Amino acid sequence: MHDALTGLLERRAPVGLETWRSFWDQLGDGGLDRAQSLALLASLATALPGHDTLRPLLDSLAERRPARPAGRWPGTVNVVGTGGGPKTFNISTASAFVAAATGVRVVKTGSRAYTSSLGSVDLLERLGVRLTSSYDQTADTLDRYGIAFAGPFVYPAQLTRLARTIAPTSMKPFGRFLNALGPFLADLPVTAQVTGVSASAPLSELRSLARTEPRPGRTLWLTANDRGADELLGFADNTIHTHDGRELRIPAGELVPSDGGFDDLGPARDPASAPAHFLSVLDGTEGEVATRTVCLNAAALSVASGHTTDWTRAVAAALEAVRSGAARALAERVRAGTRPVPARTREMTHG
């Protein structure tokens, strides 16, 4: 049994960086069997270890990523959530489009559904929006539309190796752990990241990770509220935890009216109707509570990125982007511009 697994099971001492390095080396060489890989994931998913084990774990994965471009994408914010909260439509994905329609540069990372019926990647696939496959493609898409949806290249390849090693067992049983740490695994040269943290995620451990963020100069916000959702809510008392230890409070009703509840934010009736439902959210026809919720979260992206410092103006700009049709129009342009060209069309164009 590898020392990393022994340390997680016994929990007598932290699992350090060298031990994690050895684990990934052996995984890559085929030296770890399916049973040990499953045991590791089960241990992490059952009880998240302390900071002295989690930080080296993340650092050991970070150092194995391919090199990314030097410098940052100025004024760009990544939005991602931990999932696991009350069932709603894809609020963070909608807020990304709305914020981008106000001029904020947004990159969205996410995953397929682990704890819900439709994750952000599942929704984008149904919308016909392709994920980017490299840093250059992401930068080009960002320059063209002001928004991009980054593919799995931003995550450590060792996660894919783990998934293959435990096959045919799915990674879904370990979704809560993967969703919790996923926002800290994506590597993008953004200047800010807004991460929604649901009640099912380990907020205190994530705050410790944020405070030891190894990428200086990047703004990192963790948002939480008293209703357990991983998005800001007008009808909840919200707190934004910053990477430098500050807490920003947004009480219920402060920026948008406090009426409504989760019944107003429910997902589409079935996955097939999700694209139409999502686009109706963007054009403001799914109700005022849905519109205000999306705009509140879009405002957070605007402020975190440095696009504006005024929350009230940011909310107003987001509302205008929805009511003017700019948010939906942007989504339609992205759909048309990134949708794969059918094979017959390619033949007619290039034949």
Side-chain angles (χ1 to χ4, degrees):
M1 183 180 295
H2 193 276
D3 288 346
L5 181 54
T6 303
L8 287 177
L9 294 176
E10 294 182 351
R11 298 186 185 272
R12 294 178 181 174
V15 179
L17 183 61
E18 290 302 325
T19 303
W20 284 117
R21 285 172 173 164
S22 170
F23 181 87
W24 302 124
D25 285 342
Q26 290 192 32
L27 180 70
D29 294 339
L32 293 177
D33 59 18
R34 179 172 178 269
Q36 289 197 69
S37 299
L38 278 169
L40 179 98
L41 286 168
S43 177
L44 290 170
T46 301
L48 208 62
H51 180 77
D52 290 343
T53 291
L54 281 180
R55 183 77 267 167
L57 167 59
L58 296 185
D59 291 344
S60 72
L61 289 168
E63 65 188 17
R64 291 169 182 263
R65 294 191 190 100
R68 61 173 172 81
R72 296 189 184 277
W73 295 332
T76 304
V77 58
N78 175 28
V79 55
V80 61
T82 63
K87 294 189 182 304
T88 66
F89 64 84
N90 295 78
I91 294 172
S92 63
T93 306
S95 70
F97 275 113
V98 172
T102 70
V104 180
R105 288 166 58 89
V106 183
V107 178
K108 175 82 175 76
T109 57
S111 65
R112 294 192 181 276
Y114 285 124
T115 57
S116 62
S117 60
L118 209 65
S120 61
V121 171
D122 303 302
L123 173 64
L124 293 168
E125 187 175 78
R126 290 179 177 275
L127 282 168
V129 175
R130 284 191 295 176
L131 306 182
T132 60
S133 58
S134 68
Y135 289 110
D136 286 344
Q137 187 182 55
T138 305
D140 290 344
T141 304
L142 191 58
D143 288 342
R144 183 176 182 184
Y145 299 107
I147 188 171
F149 298 90
F153 74 92
V154 301
Y155 294 102
Q158 283 69 29
L159 297 181
T160 302
R161 181 74 183 189
L162 265 179
R164 290 173 179 168
T165 303
I166 69 170
T169 302
S170 167
M171 293 285 271
K172 194 162 187 173
F174 316 109
R176 183 167 295 180
F177 158 72
L178 295 170
N179 278 347
L181 291 190
F184 292 88
L185 294 171
D187 188 31
L188 285 164
V190 294
T191 54
Q193 178 170 308
V194 175
T195 299
V197 181
S198 72
S200 65
L203 178 59
S204 60
E205 286 84 352
L206 298 187
R207 290 184 66 190
S208 293
L209 291 175
R211 287 194 294 269
T212 56
E213 163 66 26
R215 286 162 280 194
R218 186 178 73 150
T219 296
L220 181 56
W221 285 4
L222 304 178
T223 69
N225 57 65
D226 64 349
R227 300 296 297 274
D230 65 346
E231 296 92 5
L232 299 175
L233 301 171
F235 52 84
D237 290 329
N238 306 277
T239 303
I240 297 173
H241 304 274
T242 69
H243 63 278
D244 55 3
R246 292 179 297 126
E247 293 185 0
L248 311 177
R249 308 283 184 177
I250 304 178
E254 180 172 273
L255 293 172
V256 297
S258 61
D259 59 302
F262 288 116
D263 288 345
D264 302 290
L265 305 177
R269 293 185 303 275
D270 57 80
S273 64
H277 178 271
F278 182 78
L279 293 172
S280 67
V281 168
L282 292 184
D283 65 23
T285 56
E286 282 298 323
E288 279 298 303
V289 176
T291 297
R292 295 194 300 257
T293 301
V294 169
C295 291
L296 178 59
N297 285 274
L301 302 184
S302 183
V303 176
S305 68
H307 185 74
T308 182
T309 59
D310 189 317
W311 278 88
T312 301
R313 286 187 178 182
V315 171
L319 287 168
E320 176 60 22
V322 171
R323 291 169 178 161
S324 69
R328 175 159 182 165
L330 173 60
E332 298 287 10
R333 289 200 305 275
V334 173
R335 293 177 79 194
T338 66
R339 186 178 292 122
V341 179
R344 180 172 175 78
T345 303
R346 291 199 299 268
E347 292 168 3
M348 293 174 62
T349 303
H350 302 292

